[in-house]
Amino acid sequence: MADIIKKYISKATSVLNANWTGAYTLPASGLYPHQWNWDSGFIAIGYAHINTQRAIKELTSLFNGQWKNGMVPQIVFNKDKLGNYFPEPDFWQTENSPNAPEGILTSGITMPPIHAVAALRISENARDNKDVKPFLKWIYPRLLSLHRYFYRERDPEGQGLVYIRHPWESGMDNSPMWDLVLKRLDMSSLKVPPYERKDLASGVRPEERPAREDYDRFVYLVDLFRRLKYDEELISKESPFLVYGPLFNAILSASNEALIRIGEILKERTDEAEEWEGLTKKAISEKLYQPEGGIFNFYDIREKKLLDVDSAAGFMPLFGGAATKEQALKLYDYLNSQSFCALHQGNCFTVPNYDTRKEDYDRTNYWRGPVWININWMLMQGLRRYGFKQKADAIAKDILELPVRFGFREYFDSFDGRGYGAHNFSWSAALFIDTAYDNYLDVGTQAPGKRIKKILWRDIILNESGGKSEMPLGIISQNMLAAIREINSNYCSKCGSVDYGAIRHSKEYEEYRRITAKLKELDLAAVKEEHQKLAFWINIYNTIVIDRIICVGIRRSVKEVTGFFSKIKYDIGGYRFSANDIEHGILRANSRPPLGGLKQFKPMDPRRQFVLQRIDPRIHFTLVCGSRSCAPINFYTETGIYDELEVAATNFINSSEVIIIPEEKRVIISLIFSWYKKDFGGIEGVLAFIEKYIVDDDKRELLKKNKDKIHLDYLYYNWNLNE
Ligand code: GLC
C-alpha cells in the first residue's frame, strides 16, 4: 500500500485510539459519551484490518448489553460517565422491563442490525486469526437471538419486514422521512415530560442538530415506551410511530446473508436464517418499492401506506441484495442524478442523505441533507454487488477524500465538503480504513512469493482448437465483436465489473469460443483506419483478458500466473498476439513496455503493419487487465470511439484512482500514470491531462495555478480480480 495512504490510515487509527475506552469505542467524545449500537458495528469493520482484538471486544461489549428477548439496545451506558447525555438510564427506566439485562444500563430501543455483517468482516479481514473462531462461536447464537427477536416481535404480519418504533431506531434520527409520521402527533394535546437536551451543550451548532419540535416528539415516544414497560405487544398496539423502513430492512437482509455465511463457517444449521433471508428480500422488493419514483420508501403501518419521501435510505436495498435487476437499474438512475449528485457532475460529494432538489433539503442539518460516511459505505458495497463499478468507485473516492480534506467529521456538506457535527467521529475513521484497505491493498503484490501459483514457460494459444466453420471470413470480425458485446452486456453490464463464474457457463461464451477459433482466418488488413483499429483492438484485448482469466483458472489475481500478459496468446489473422503485443505493440504504436526493454515488435516483425500511428493516452482507461485498479470493462464502437474514450478518461480521473487534496496541494494517482507517463507527455502532461478531465472546480484551479508546487504520490496498483 502506498505510504501516503498508510499515513492517512494512521490518522484514522489515532481517531479510533482517542475514542477507545478499553472496552469499546465512543462514537465521538463529548457529544456521544457511551457505546452506540450500529456505530460499534461500523467501527469493528474498520478495526478488523488493524486490530482484531479490538474489533472483537467492540462487538462483545455491545452484545453484553443484549436484552433477554434478544434485542440489542441502541445505547449501552457507561456507568462512570453518566450526567452528560440525554436521555440516560434515569429517563429510560428500562429496569421496569423483565427483558432488560441485569447489571448493565441500556436504552430501551434498538438500531439497524449491522452486526452479523461486521462479525463476518472480522473473520474475513482479521490479521490475527486465533481469536476469530471462538468469537464467531460466541456471537453466532447471540446474532440468531437478535434476528429471532426481530422476526418474532417486530414482524406482525410474518411477511419478513421488521418495523421500527422510534426514529432513533432508524439511525437517521431527524430524516425528512419521519416528518409525516411525527407531524401527526398533536403536541398540544400530548404530554411530554420535562427534559433537558445535552447535545446542544457539546459545542455543535444548533442548526446542525435536530429541531426542538422533533426532540419533543422523540421524547414523547420514549416516555410512552417506558410507561408501557417496554412490552413489545403493548407498544405495537399503542405506538403512533411504527414503520417498515428500507434502510433497516436492507441492513437486516445483508446481515441475514452474513449470518448464513457464519453458520456455514461454524458448520451449524442455517435453515432459519435462509428462510429469513428469502422472506425479507422478497418483502422489501415487493412491498417497499415505489415504481413511479424508482426508489424504495418506508411504509407507515398506522396509515397503511407507502410514504413518498426520497432519501438515501431508499437506495439501501442494493446493500441488502433485495432489489431486482430492474429495480436496481431504476435506483441507479435516480441515485446517479443531480438529486443525489451524479457521476462527473462536479462540485458535489456523493451521496447526500436527501434529494438535494427538494425544497426541504437542508445541507447542514444532520440527517436532512449532509453526506454520511456509513451510508456512503453501504451504498458503495451495494453498487459493487450489482456491478455499478464506476459509481462505486466515485463513492469510494469521496469516502477517502472527505475525511482527509475536511477532517474525520460526523457528516459533510454535499456541495463543498465542509465537515459538520462532531469532530473525530469514529465510524468516519473506521470506514475510511476499510475503504482504503479494500481499494488499495494489493493481494497480487502484497506477498508475491506466496501467491504465484503458475509460471508459464511456453506460449499457450487459446484459439488453437475448434474445427472448420461455415462462417464466411468477412463476417468473423463482426460476429466476434457481436459475441463480445453480448458477453459485455449480459455479464459485465455498463457498470464495469465482470461476473467470471457466470460467463464460464454461458451460451454466449460458448459462442465466443466458437468464433475465436475462426480468428486465425481474419483479414487484419481490413481493419484499416485509426478509429477502426482503436475500437477493434481494445475490444479484442479486453475480451481476450476475460477469456484468459477463465481458461487459466485465475482465482484472485492475474498475478497468480507469471506470463499472463506475455505467454497466453491468440492467433489472429495468422499472427500470434499476447496482451502485451496488443497493448504495447498495436495500441501504443509499438512502444517499449513500461518497465523498460525493447520495443514490443522488433524491426522485421510482420505485425508492425497493424500498429497505430500515434498513441492516444486515453486507451489506458479502456484496457481491462482483469484487476480492480484498471479501467472498467466496456464495449467500444468504431463510430463512437473518440467520444467513448472521453467518457473513459473522465470516469477514471474522477474515481478513487485520482485523489486530489487541494488543501495539501497533493495529487495521489494510479501507478498507470507513472508507468505510462511518456504516453501523456511526461509528468507535466499527466497533470495537464488530469486538469482537463477533473470535474471539480477547486481541483482544476489547484492544478492550473500550482503547476510546479504539486506533491505527487502514487497509489499502489490493486491487482485483485475485477469481479
Ligand atoms: C446519532 C445518529 C446515530 C448514531 C449516534 C451515535 O444519534 O443519528 O445514527 O448512531 O448519533 O453516533
Side-chain angles (χ1 to χ4, degrees), residues 378-396:
M378 288 185 280
L379 287 175
M380 174 180 72
Q381 312 289 332
L383 287 162
R384 280 209 206 292
R385 98 179 260 172
Y386 280 82
F388 297 108
K389 180 179 186 313
Q390 280 158 21
K391 186 75 183 168
D393 284 348
I395 295 186

Side-chain angles (χ1 to χ4, degrees), residues 326-501:
E326 292 71 41
Q327 289 170 341
L329 287 168
K330 282 292 192 70
L331 289 179
Y332 181 77
D333 287 343
Y334 192 12
L335 177 60
N336 191 31
S337 71
Q338 293 227 338
S339 292
F340 288 93
C341 182
L343 261 177
H344 316 150
Q345 182 178 323
N347 310 316
C348 67
F349 290 93
T350 40
V351 174
N353 207 50
Y354 188 55
D355 186 335
T356 58
R357 295 204 277 198
K358 295 273 154 77
E359 221 172 282
D360 50 347
Y361 163 76
D362 181 339
R363 62 193 275 181
T364 59
N365 190 308
Y366 217 33
W367 293 99
R368 305 183 76 83
V371 179
W372 288 76
I373 298 292
N374 66 334
I375 301 297
N376 259 6
W377 183 87
M378 288 185 280
L379 287 175
M380 174 180 72
Q381 312 289 332
L383 287 162
R384 280 209 206 292
R385 98 179 260 172
Y386 280 82
F388 297 108
K389 180 179 186 313
Q390 280 158 21
K391 186 75 183 168
D393 284 348
I395 295 186
K397 175 186 72 68
D398 289 350
I399 293 178
L400 296 166
E401 207 180 292
L402 284 166
V404 166
R405 292 184 56 190
F406 305 102
F408 291 93
R409 299 295 297 268
E410 191 177 4
Y411 36 102
F412 300 88
D413 191 301
S414 182
F415 292 106
D416 61 20
R418 185 182 329 179
Y420 299 126
H423 290 260
N424 297 324
F425 191 66
S426 292
W427 84 41
S428 298
L431 297 176
F432 173 91
I433 293 173
D434 182 69
T435 307
Y437 271 92
D438 193 33
N439 278 262
Y440 304 129
L441 183 74
D442 179 2
V443 292
T445 52
Q446 185 198 6
K450 279 197 209 142
R451 306 251 176 210
I452 289 175
K453 304 227 170 58
K454 272 188 207 164
I455 299 183
L456 302 178
W457 301 105
R458 290 210 212 117
D459 286 357
I460 299 181
I461 311 301
L462 283 186
N463 63 340
E464 223 157 30
S465 59
K468 276 243 166 253
S469 114
E470 297 310 306
M471 198 179 295
L473 275 186
I475 59 168
I476 290 181
S477 133
Q478 224 177 325
N479 286 0
M480 166 96 187
L481 293 186
I484 295 174
R485 196 200 311 252
E486 278 294 294
I487 293 180
N488 268 344
S489 69
N490 293 338
Y491 302 98
C492 310
S493 73
K494 62 180 173 182
C495 7
S497 51
V498 183
D499 187 349
Y500 292 103

Side-chain angles (χ1 to χ4, degrees), residues 167-238:
W168 289 342
E169 291 200 320
S170 74
M172 296 184 165
D173 304 10
N174 71 338
S175 163
M177 277 192 293
W178 317 132
D179 292 359
L180 294 172
V181 187
L182 292 178
K183 291 269 145 60
R184 275 208 318 266
L185 300 184
D186 176 6
M187 297 317 283
S188 59
S189 62
L190 296 172
K191 213 175 122 270
V192 181
Y195 69 96
E196 187 198 334
R197 276 174 81 164
K198 294 272 168 74
D199 58 328
L200 299 178
S202 70
V204 174
R205 295 180 10 215
E207 55 274 33
E208 294 171 21
R209 300 284 308 171
R212 169 87 205 183
E213 314 78 78
D214 290 332
Y215 236 87
D216 281 351
R217 289 168 164 87
F218 298 156
V219 172
Y220 168 77
L221 288 171
V222 171
D223 184 47
L224 173 70
F225 301 156
R226 67 179 186 178
R227 279 188 276 124
L228 298 176
K229 301 194 167 40
Y230 301 97
D231 182 310
E232 295 290 357
E233 208 180 320
L234 295 179
I235 293 175
S236 85
K237 283 193 191 118
E238 296 208 14

